[in-house]
Amino acid sequence: METMKFVQLGFIIFLCKAFVCGFAEESSCTPGFESELLVFKVHRDHLHQGKRLGRVIFNTCDGRTRMLFQSSDKWFDVDTDGTVTLKRQVTLHEGHKVFSVHAWDSSGKKHTVSVRVERVHHHEDHHMDTVMNISSPQMESHSDDLILMFPKSSTGLKRAKRGWVIPPFRVLENSRGPFPIKLVQIKSDMSSEAQMQYKITGEGADLDPKGTFTIERLSGNLFVTRPLDRERKASYRLIAHATGVDVDVAEKPMEIIVNVLDQNDDYPVFTQNPFNGNVSEAAEIGHEFMTVTATDADDPNTDNGVISYSIVKQDPELPKPNMFEINSVTGGIRVNSVGLDKEKWSKYTLTVVATDMEGRGYSTTGTAVITVTDSNDNAPQFEQTSQTVSVPENKVGAVVAKLAVTDEDEEGSPAWSTKYRIISGDKGGFFNVSTGPSRLEGIITTAKPLDFEKNKQYILSVIVENDEPFVGALATSTATVTVNVEDVNEPPEFNPKEKIIYKPEDSPIDTELVSYTATDPDIGKSQKIMYKIGNDPEGWLSVNQDTGLIKVRKLMDRESSSVKDDKYRAIILAVDDGDAPATGTGTLIIELSDVNDNAPVINERIIKICNRGSTPVLLSITDKDGPPYAGPFTVETQGETSENWSATMNETSTGVFLKPKFTLEQGDYNVILRVFDNHRLSQDSTIQASVCDCEGDDVQCTDCEKASCSASNAAINIANIAHIVFVFYFIIL
């Protein structure tokens, strides 16, 4: 905005030099303000927005009555005719205010006058509070004959291209008339050469609220036809038009802004009623705990909309009538005196007044209800400060003791609800204390198993506090709980719980594997332990019931399905001879080392192959033993197989390639292959090979003649019987 003023100022100076000063004759007139100090008298400290204070007079020496002024204080505005008005409400805190007004003459020289606004102590001059304050460029006269001119033409009826900013009209709301009231006469300088006609458009003219403003067609007199209401509409934008009656000429439309000045015609309204707040009985003086709020529909930039709050009544007036005070500006209510006591006066009702005009205008009454909340000024007390209890060992979560307390603060409040801590006697963290459902009870439970053999007694000190911190220094209550640990028959304990041994899988029967024993934790008792097998999936083991010595009962096999990752697991039991016998368990893990007790075998026992151009058949090998007793494998053909078939190992020595040595007749053949492991342990595998009269890998067999097939089958059967006899003989040996 300030930048725009300087632009306009420079433009005016330019025009002055070009069109006025260049043709002016030398003169002895010196441009400047009429005085170096102007004093405007007012009759109150609070000045409302739009108030006209007076005029500054600047002699231009060229006959101009309008020019641009600049105020050093942003709250004061100076119109082009020198009228000084308030842009918003101002309070003279020290009874006066000083600022400067600047102007520039046609040569560009800056002139300054000091303006002092001061309050005088006599009756207010109502003439200074005008109902309508109009200030704009091209406005002639300052009475009911106010004239607002369109920008002047340069030559005759030809319009100059020049922009004007017309300051707003200011019209006070709620005028009583009589209506219509003339605001101003709008006039075109073309009217001296041709008859002009005028009209207005825009808000309040041909737009809603229509008809609020009217204009006489030929005279240009602008009227307001009814009372204005700022709370409904704060400003109007009108466009003034001037055209020739019999001549084709027209003024450029001129914007006119009408701002409605506020009157104090609305009461403050509380945003709710009643207001509810809470304050602790221990709150300190100055503590703000709630806020009441009121609104006013009047202009918030004037005193009309500025609300001041006050307390006019307190109920009850105990222990003092001024227990609370209110911030007159914000409505914040704070503690003003000591003596709040929840148990005596639990609630206060304040009558609060909201007054506009900063406390000098209309008033509205509201209510603030204040609830006094309890503060923690009573420490909880144990009903019983000492007790002795017995707790069985080895139980987690067992209830040790319940400690009842009392508290005189308000029931259900944080100052009444309790919490507990064990402050001594539990270095190992064997106990836990929590708040019971009633909130006035501490429950001690075991957090870890107690061990009679390690500690027979605990002496616990327990302290009780509230969820809310104490107000001031209060003595806390403590209780002593003596916990005696009860001895129970505990099961024998294996050490370690899992015992790992390493043995070969071919360990002979009755081989002693290990002595796996347990100890009785009940050191105060003389009890005998007996050992048993709890779980032995394959039945390989036996245990001496007195010594716990474990032996091989049956030959073990690493390749058994009960062995996982070379490990065999058995459960051993240790049972004491107490009145109620207790049983402990231990796990024996036998990691079996492999021996070469499994010969490799060929997995495929039936194959088909063409007798011509066939790819060798790959046979896979399995050995239950692990390295180094498995591969790499080797293979040999046996008997007649060597005459007809060729067997070779693949590149990794884990499989056998089998193919006929020459073209065989179609039929079934028994192929006997002996496969050796890395340590030359071998086993014969018989493969039934069906040879088909075909070529390549697309194996297709045709039916053979009955005689030849029967002979072939008979030969196969004889060979099979012979092989079975041979294998059986080998096993016996």
Side-chain angles (χ1 to χ4, degrees):
M1 194 68 178
E2 299 297 332
T3 303
M4 181 60 71
K5 283 190 174 182
F6 281 115
V7 172
Q8 293 172 335
L9 173 64
F11 185 60
I12 290 175
I13 293 173
F14 169 78
L15 291 178
C16 174
K17 290 182 177 180
F19 298 103
V20 178
C21 299
F23 301 97
E25 297 180 355
E26 293 295 328
S27 173
S28 60
C29 178
T30 302
F33 288 102
E34 289 188 348
S35 63
E36 295 181 355
L37 174 64
L38 291 176
V39 178
F40 296 146
K41 304 288 186 177
V42 295
H43 302 289
R44 57 181 178 178
D45 291 332
H46 301 283
L47 308 179
H48 62 75
Q49 178 187 12
K51 180 176 180 59
R52 185 168 62 182
L53 300 176
R55 291 183 63 198
V56 295
I57 306 299
F58 188 88
N59 185 5
T60 62
C61 296
D62 56 12
R64 286 184 299 130
T65 60
R66 298 281 174 173
M67 64 184 306
L68 286 180
F69 298 93
Q70 182 187 25
S71 171
S72 64
D73 191 318
K74 63 181 180 180
W75 302 128
F76 295 88
D77 186 36
V78 185
D79 291 332
T80 56
D81 68 345
T83 301
V84 180
T85 57
L86 292 179
K87 295 173 69 175
R88 61 159 295 168
Q89 66 178 11
V90 172
T91 299
L92 304 178
H93 295 289
E94 299 178 356
H96 69 276
K97 194 171 184 65
V98 178
F99 63 96
S100 299
V101 174
H102 309 293
W104 286 260
D105 61 23
S106 59
S107 65
K109 182 180 178 181
K110 179 179 179 181
H111 300 264
T112 301
V113 63
S114 293
V115 178
R116 177 184 176 90
V117 181
E118 63 180 34
R119 177 173 53 84
V120 295
H121 300 283
H122 53 77
H123 292 295
E124 181 177 1
D125 182 4
H126 294 284
H127 178 70
M128 299 180 67
D129 291 329
T130 57
V131 171
M132 180 174 65
N133 179 5
I134 305 173
S135 52
S136 61
Q138 302 298 318
M139 187 172 294
E140 301 174 357
S141 178
H142 299 281
S143 65
D144 290 341
D145 297 326
L146 290 171
I147 299 175
L148 179 63
M149 298 294 294
F150 280 90
K152 295 180 180 180
S153 62
S154 56
T155 56
L157 298 180
K158 184 178 179 182
R159 304 304 302 147
K161 295 182 179 179
R162 184 177 182 186
W164 290 81
V165 178
I166 308 300
F169 285 79
R170 299 178 181 90
V171 180
L172 193 65
E173 67 173 336
N174 302 326
S175 174
R176 295 184 179 181
F179 292 97
I181 297 175
K182 179 181 175 181
L183 300 181
V184 70
Q185 180 183 8
I186 297 174
K187 188 175 181 180
S188 169
D189 60 358
M190 294 183 187
S191 61
S192 61
E193 304 176 36
Q195 185 177 13
M196 302 296 289
Q197 59 184 356
Y198 305 90
K199 72 172 182 176
I200 55 172
T201 59
E203 302 169 333
D206 59 342
L207 299 178
D208 289 335
K210 296 179 181 179
T212 301
F213 299 94
T214 60
I215 191 169
E216 291 180 344
R217 186 175 72 89
L218 296 178
S219 69
N221 291 329
L222 178 64
F223 297 91
V224 58
T225 65
R226 60 175 70 105
L228 303 181
D229 187 347
R230 192 203 66 85
E231 285 70 45
R232 291 189 176 182
K233 189 169 181 60
S235 67
Y236 296 83
R237 179 179 179 271
L238 301 173
I239 304 298
H241 307 267
T243 58
V245 175
D246 298 317
V247 181
D248 186 16
V249 293
E251 292 279 6
K252 183 178 179 181
M254 178 172 60
E255 180 183 69
I256 302 173
I257 302 296
V258 178
N259 287 337
V260 183
L261 292 180
D262 189 40
Q263 275 192 329
N264 191 22
D265 56 350
D266 288 281
Y267 283 76
V269 177
F270 281 105
T271 57
Q272 67 183 73
N273 198 29
F275 291 86
N276 295 291
N278 299 311
V279 62
S280 170
E281 63 180 339
E284 297 179 353
I285 294 177
H287 171 64
E288 185 173 301
F289 56 90
M290 68 179 295
T291 301
V292 298
T293 306
T295 60
D296 193 309
D298 288 317
D299 189 350
N301 294 317
T302 68
D303 290 352
N304 300 336
V306 178
I307 298 174
S308 178
Y309 301 91
S310 61
I311 298 173
V312 297
K313 184 179 179 182
Q314 170 189 306
D315 183 26
E317 296 183 345
L318 297 172
K320 301 175 183 177
N322 60 338
M323 295 298 295
F324 307 96
E325 66 176 355
I326 191 168
N327 186 310
S328 62
V329 176
T330 66
I333 298 177
R334 53 184 176 261
V335 177
N336 187 49
S337 181
V338 296
L340 294 175
D341 192 330
K342 161 69 177 177
E343 288 70 32
K344 293 181 179 180
W345 307 287
S346 62
K347 185 172 292 187
Y348 289 88
T349 301
L350 304 181
T351 301
V352 181
V353 173
T355 307
D356 62 17
M357 293 291 291
E358 292 186 326
R360 306 183 310 277
Y362 294 133
S363 296
T364 300
T365 300
T367 301
V369 178
I370 301 170
T371 299
V372 181
T373 60
D374 192 29
S375 60
N376 198 7
D377 53 358
N378 296 286
Q381 301 294 319
F382 284 107
E383 292 182 355
Q384 185 178 353
T385 58
S386 178
Q387 57 179 297
T388 301
V389 296
S390 296
V391 179
E393 63 176 335
N394 301 325
K395 288 188 177 181
V396 176
V399 176
V400 176
K402 294 185 177 181
L403 310 175
V405 299
T406 59
D407 195 302
E408 296 181 3
D409 289 310
E410 181 183 5
E411 183 176 348
S413 69
W416 171 85
S417 182
T418 54
K419 58 184 179 181
Y420 305 83
R421 289 185 294 120
I422 298 174
I423 58 176
S424 67
D426 185 28
K427 292 183 179 180
F430 289 95
F431 300 93
N432 177 62
V433 60
S434 60
T435 302
S438 69
R439 310 304 296 172
L440 291 178
E441 182 182 53
I443 301 176
I444 302 176
T445 57
T446 53
K448 298 179 182 179
L450 305 180
D451 191 338
F452 174 83
E453 286 70 32
K454 293 182 179 179
N455 194 349
K456 297 179 177 60
Q457 187 180 78
Y458 297 85
I459 300 177
L460 308 177
S461 291
V462 183
I463 189 172
V464 59
E465 300 168 313
N466 292 120
D467 290 341
E468 183 177 283
F470 295 145
V471 175
L474 298 178
T476 56
S477 179
T478 59
T480 301
V481 180
T482 302
V483 182
N484 293 322
V485 182
E486 295 178 352
D487 189 21
V488 297
N489 187 25
E490 300 172 83
E493 297 177 351
F494 283 95
N495 189 16
K497 289 286 187 183
E498 288 188 348
K499 191 173 186 66
I500 302 175
I501 61 174
Y502 301 87
K503 297 294 178 180
E505 64 175 330
D506 61 349
S507 298
I509 294 174
D510 286 335
T511 298
E512 295 182 357
L513 298 178
V514 67
S515 290
Y516 192 20
T517 59
T519 58
D520 193 338
D522 297 312
I523 57 177
K525 302 176 182 179
S526 179
Q527 298 183 138
K528 183 180 179 181
I529 297 176
M530 181 177 63
Y531 299 94
K532 297 179 181 180
I533 298 292
N535 184 31
D536 179 11
E538 297 291 341
W540 291 342
L541 308 176
S542 65
V543 62
N544 187 298
Q545 67 175 8
D546 298 320
T547 64
L549 178 62
I550 299 174
K551 294 182 179 182
V552 176
R553 179 171 171 266
K554 287 172 57 177
L555 289 177
M556 299 180 290
D557 183 3
R558 190 190 70 88
E559 289 72 41
S560 168
S561 60
S562 299
V563 178
K564 305 297 182 184
D565 298 326
D566 299 338
K567 295 179 178 65
Y568 181 74
R569 295 175 179 267
I571 303 299
I572 311 301
L573 304 179
V575 185
D576 65 23
D577 60 351
D579 294 337
T583 302
T585 61
T587 301
L588 178 65
I589 301 175
I590 306 173
E591 188 160 334
L592 297 171
S593 58
D594 194 21
V595 296
N596 197 14
D597 56 350
N598 292 281
V601 296
I602 292 178
N603 298 319
E604 294 81 10
R605 294 307 175 97
I606 298 175
I607 66 171
K608 287 185 178 182
I609 190 171
C610 288
N611 57 4
R612 301 185 305 279
S614 176
T615 301
V617 178
L618 179 62
L619 306 176
S620 59
I621 300 172
T622 297
D623 192 327
K624 293 183 178 180
D625 293 321
Y629 303 115
F633 304 106
T634 57
V635 64
E636 295 178 359
T637 55
Q638 301 296 309
E640 293 182 358
T641 300
S642 302
E643 298 176 2
N644 298 328
W645 298 85
S646 170
T648 57
M649 300 302 300
N650 65 356
E651 293 180 356
T652 60
S653 297
T654 57
V656 177
F657 285 120
L658 179 66
K659 68 176 182 177
K661 289 184 175 180
F662 47 83
T663 301
L664 299 177
E665 293 184 359
Q666 178 170 302
D668 295 331
Y669 296 83
N670 282 335
V671 178
I672 302 174
L673 301 178
R674 181 171 296 170
V675 182
F676 299 85
D677 65 17
N678 194 32
H679 285 256
R680 299 298 294 173
L681 180 63
S682 65
Q683 181 174 313
D684 289 351
S685 297
T686 300
I687 297 93
Q688 180 178 323
S690 296
V691 178
C692 300
D693 186 13
C694 57
E695 184 174 359
D697 296 325
D698 186 13
V699 181
Q700 294 181 354
C701 289
T702 59
D703 294 337
C704 60
E705 296 179 357
K706 289 185 178 180
S708 61
C709 288
S710 298
S712 175
N713 290 336
I716 291 172
N717 290 335
I718 293 172
N720 286 339
I721 293 171
H723 177 69
I724 292 171
V725 171
F726 174 78
V727 172
F728 181 73
Y729 176 73
F730 176 79
I731 293 173
I732 293 175
L733 290 180

